[in-house]
Amino acid sequence: MQPSWAPGQGYPGSNQPAAGPGPARPVYGQAPGGGQQPPNGYGQGPAGGPPGALQGPPGARGPLDPASLGLNRLNLGNGPAGPAPYPTSVQYPPAQGPPARPAAAPQRPPGPPPATRPPGVPGAYRPPGSMPGPPSPAGSSASSSGFGVPGPRPAGPPSPYPGVHGNPPSQAPPAAGPGPRPAYPGAARPPGVQTPQRAAAAAQPGPPPGQAYVRPLLQPGQPGPPLPAQQAQQAGGPARYGPPSPGGPAPPAPGQPAVFRPQSGPPAGAPGPHPGGPTGFGAPPPMGAPPGPGGSALQRPPAPSLGSRPPPSGGDGPGLMGGGGLGAPPHPPGLSPSGLGSVGAASVPASEVEVVSMPAPGQGVQPAVAAAGFPRPAGPGGAESLAPPPPYASTNPPPGALRFSTAAVPASQSLRARWHLPFGAVLAPLSEAGGPVPVVDMGGAGIIRCSRCRTYVNPHMAWLDGGRSFSCNVCGTVNQTPVEYFSALDGAGRRLDLADRPELRAGAVEYVAPQEYMVRAPQPPAYVFVLDVSFAAVSSGLLASVCATIRASLDAFHGDSRTQVAFITFDATVHYYALRPGAAAAPMLVVADVEELFVPLPDELLGNLVECRGAVEALLDSLPAAWAGATGVDSATGPALQAAFLVMSHVGGKLMLFQAAAPSVGIGRVKARDNPSLYGGDREYSLRVPDDPFYKRFAAECSRCHVCVDVFAAGATYMDLPSLGAMPKYLGGQLYYYPGFSAARDGAKLRAELARNLSRETGWEAVMRIRCSKGLRVSSFFGHFFIRTTDLLSLPVVDADKAFSVEIAHEESVLTGQTAYVQSALLYTASNGERRIRVHTAALPIVGDLADLYRALDAGAAAALLAKAGVERSLASRLEDVRLGLHHKALMALREWRLLVSRGATLGAQPPPNAMLLPRRGRTLPALCMGLAKTAALRGGGRDVNTDERIAVGHAIVSGPVDALLRLLYPAVYAVAGAEAGWGRPGPDGSIALPPTVPAGVAYCDPAGAYLIDNGRLCILWLGAALGPAFYEQVFGSAADAGQDPGQLSLEPARPGSELSARINAVLGALRGQRELYQGCYVVRQGTPMEAHVAPYFVEDALPSSASPGFFEFMQVLQKDILGK
Amino acid sequence: MPYEFLVWLLAVLIQAAVLAINMHITLQFTDLENDNTNPHDAASAINSVVLWEYGLEGFLAIWLILNGKWFSALLPLAILAFHIQQARWILAWGWRFGRQYIDVTEIYRQVKPRRQQAVTKLIVYLFLFAWILYSFIYVMLHSLLTPAGKVAAREILQEAAATLH
């Protein structure tokens, strides 16, 4: 073994600090200079040997070398990097202009000063003023009438929503004011000795969107070798979750803004001497670190393994080594923020604590005024509060595809037990929000995977032995590189062909699967439409709308010339239609016996769409007319489903059921069993699960044959959606619900949603597997799928609007290593007939500190996971229990946080004793939890929401992506009366600027204003009682006035000549966008009876009918529970 | 053969069958946990035998009671009560909804507790089997202990003792 490896050889055991709080863990936050110290002494390795030592003979290291166990090191270099032509494995946000940052970091775009950074960039910093959280004196003037006035509220940073300032200034923690807050979160903390745990790191702000960045290495000759004493101090310390300070040589002094946290934004240029606050979310893992020739990155000092290029001048030399731990500037002991603490005790900088003062009850304050200062996902800063934290590794898939409830992994089971929120991920593999995914055809080499755990090759694998073998980042196994895939390594251990290998550069990649990934030849996309032609379907216009939409979408079907279609209609009997190539009509075949189904002409029912186009068009044109006089009220749904299954079982595909009444004939008929009196009892859940086992069994059969069922339910009365919905639930399908469908009102919605269903990106015959690093396992799944083995999801069809969620559990009590990986692989047949594998690989730091978990919290994803788990639980227990469970989770999480803050707080002045302390990243969690309890899926009891609606919303929650869900939990209320700001017009990039939002409570709405409420399922234009006639005239046309029944009004289409109307319609169009569901728009005026229907969408208001508290009461109860033990 | 002997013989056979069925179910769950089988096959394999298990165990309880073996029937009766509780929806919801059946769509959520349950039952069944077997042998020996039987037994014992030397 080369001497230079020596420090690494002890890993994994020996490098753990004996007295440490646990195994070496990255901790968020690193001293700008000190964090670079590799926790295990890696940083010292290079120093000990000549550069050549890194390139020892390839054979020098056996596969059993302890260091090659797949344990990557964190914290590598932070010197300026040499030119890195491509982003390699790990990319770090550029430093935020640390004063001493060497100018020679070509790779790193000099971070724009945070103050100028647009506030809206997700994961980016917000300018100081935009912080909605802490109360500011300016806001104390919040009018007692509620802030009704939707005055110009620039979404921009400086003017927080007025309500935010409702708290008396005196309660604001000094450090938290929106003003020039201490640049550094740690600023308020007394300096102390830097303990390993506390080693501060300067955080670095994220890169400009879209820009790749690589953490630079220290160049040789640059200043800043750490003091030996510090090395010693830090050598054993855990790695920090926080990028090492940007410039190795950066002097400790300049206060680097804590990175990555919105609140840390202010560039702070404040030269606050806090070299390292505990902070930085975003330390680089050394993943992907390509090892130097002859040596694995794993063994090499972390610095080079970052994937940064070696300094141009130095090659492997001192630069490499220095860049990492050594380059760190020493922390003057007096300045390092450590202190507080003891290992394990979290120190929480003031900027991470959101102090919400709770007016004491009985002060006679209006709840709306009292609640004005509460954090919520609305108003200025509302959007940012839901944004995911910046990615740990720049190769991590975009948040549109993969979000974690917290972007860090608890290091131990005991820590996990203190993290009361869900720990898991929401994955939307085919989502358009995931951006374009590079497609890789591996050709002769086949797809490279770990031989033991079958992980796909990814940017985090370490290449060893000059490229002849690689070490799996998930299980640590050393695999031989296939000859076809061999590539030599460069001096820094990266493969020379890195630039040509998207799979080694991106966390999201799509492989073209070779033959061995097919059980059978890819099947053509098949669509079987099962249409209800009973009286209800015909009279409501469902049949005509569906036929017209399918007819119009014929060109948008997937599969080019291979698409197959079949049509089946049913009332009390089942009717087939023979599709013969070239025929001009489709003769109908009736099967009268629904008990003994058989398929006449089995070869002619499923026709190729191109060959049978004429017959299909003729059929769709004639169907509405042919059944116009239908009088049958029975619905043989079960037999029709069986018939469709027989037709399509050999190819699989999509079965689309259009159902206008409850199934009443044959197998699968349902009873009118919606019985609100069961609520509150032990059997309440049975209302929400299928009654007849036929549906589950049918789903199981369909799953075997790769048949997906989409249900379009349009009944005016109880349809037993719990039963019908069981099919989509297990088959990757979708449940659409149009209560009391009428073509005039819901036609547009049906057309848009059906067209979207037929044209969105769709994968067929899919299976998905999610792998986690050793010590972790996926414990539960949420979504629409069938679980085929413990970790394999069977998805007959997967599409762009589906999200799958997992909760991750610890299998081992303590995790080793510093980085954990989660890889999902979706194997599917693309619509073009190619078998594809879409692989998403994410790296997460393993942290030993609870505060780091809160620091990496993604409130949006956490709320989404809570929602999915809650809905799933409602299928087996009472709604009341589910709501209590949710409340308990939020309560425990916040109580734990309060404990954490009270232990290690640096809040400056003590907050008022009854103030609620929220984690900055999770400040909207209470609002989201309250909204969740008020969604139709979980709200109230038997008489508040009918069961069908509950199930429909529940399905949307369980299968929806995070963004759609958040809208449902906390509807956006856009103020559209004032035309002052630039909303409603296309911006430079063509997207429509949205109006400012206000809190979702009537008290916050100006009676003279108009608001557009969007909850993801429908839009409501809410008109204040005092709204002037000018608005009516502009938006609804000249004939309208305030006295007219608003139910008769429609704001669509845009009234010619009215700019306001055009802008509102533009906003509406932007909100609908590329969504799974199309929001129909209703108009409701304040003070009319219809207002009661809107009440549930104002989630901050109390809902007396279902005994749901308002936001203020909710927070009071929550706070009381938090304080009470 | 005395009737007593037949009573216990039948009980032994029934209990052996129940034991076999239970082991089969336990194996299916174990296979499922280890991905050695797929949920469809496992569910159909389990569901096809589970009623046999319930029926045989119930019959055993009744058989023992009918023949006056009150003490021996206690355990089978307890098991029968448990089974009825498991399948208590039979009356209200029809046959297909008993909890004894495995729902293939939910099988992975249930596999752990179900396997635990199967293993627990296996232990109980084994204990019961041992007791029944003991009773069977006891009765068998007693039936052998006619005068001629005593002679035979003595010879057997002596030979057995002789072989020990």
Side-chain angles (χ1 to χ4, degrees), chain B residues 13-27 49 53 122 125 129:
Chain B
L13 293 179
I14 290 175
Q15 189 56 32
V18 169
L19 206 52
I21 290 173
N22 189 264
M23 289 173 94
H24 174 72
I25 291 174
T26 310
L27 276 180
V49 297
E53 177 194 342
L122 187 64
Y125 284 153
F129 182 69

Side-chain angles (χ1 to χ4, degrees), chain A residues 183-450:
Chain A
Y184 203 71
R189 163 180 329 187
V193 180
Q194 168 142 7
T195 65
Q197 190 70 320
R198 284 289 123 240
Q204 301 173 351
Q211 187 158 5
Y213 46 95
V214 173
R215 190 169 190 58
L217 293 177
L218 180 64
Q219 287 193 347
Q222 283 178 336
L227 300 178
Q230 253 188 339
Q231 286 184 16
Q233 201 176 25
Q234 296 180 347
R240 309 282 142 183
Y241 187 32
S245 103
Q256 305 236 0
V259 181
F260 286 149
R261 265 164 304 119
Q263 64 276 20
S264 68
H274 267 294
T279 85
F281 174 69
M287 353 175 170
S296 88
L298 300 177
Q299 287 191 328
R300 150 194 301 265
S305 66
L306 254 191
S308 322
R309 294 231 120 180
S313 60
D316 260 11
L320 257 187
M321 327 224 152
L326 300 188
H331 294 282
L335 289 184
S336 65
S338 67
L340 308 170
S342 53
V343 277
S347 86
V348 182
S351 62
E352 283 172 9
V353 183
E354 180 97 7
V355 181
V356 180
S357 65
M358 303 287 298
Q363 284 179 351
V365 205
Q366 295 281 332
V369 177
F374 295 166
R376 50 171 67 86
E384 294 96 284
S385 67
L386 298 175
Y392 177 62
S394 70
T395 55
N396 279 3
L402 182 57
R403 283 175 80 163
F404 289 90
S405 61
T406 175
V409 178
S412 61
Q413 269 175 349
S414 58
L415 182 60
R416 170 72 182 83
R418 292 169 63 203
W419 174 252
H420 298 279
L421 293 169
F423 173 53
V426 181
L427 171 70
L430 295 186
S431 162
E432 287 136 357
V437 175
V439 177
V440 181
D441 190 345
M442 302 289 271
I447 294 176
I448 313 297
R449 302 173 67 177
C450 171

Side-chain angles (χ1 to χ4, degrees), chain A residues 690-738:
Chain A
D691 181 21
D692 191 324
F694 163 76
Y695 291 98
K696 278 192 164 189
R697 261 195 262 134
F698 184 73
E701 277 309 300
C702 286
S703 174
R704 296 185 87 137
C705 298
H706 304 286
V707 172
C708 161
V709 178
D710 283 340
V711 174
F712 293 74
T717 56
Y718 181 67
M719 294 188 68
D720 203 355
L721 286 196
S723 294
L724 287 173
M727 296 181 291
K729 181 176 168 62
Y730 294 108
L731 297 171
Q734 176 73 27
L735 174 63
Y736 298 89
Y737 183 43
Y738 312 90

Side-chain angles (χ1 to χ4, degrees), chain A residues 747-760:
Chain A
K749 182 173 166 68
L750 174 71
R751 275 192 294 279
E753 291 174 359
L754 179 54
R756 164 94 179 142
N757 186 311
L758 295 175
S759 60
R760 64 191 170 189

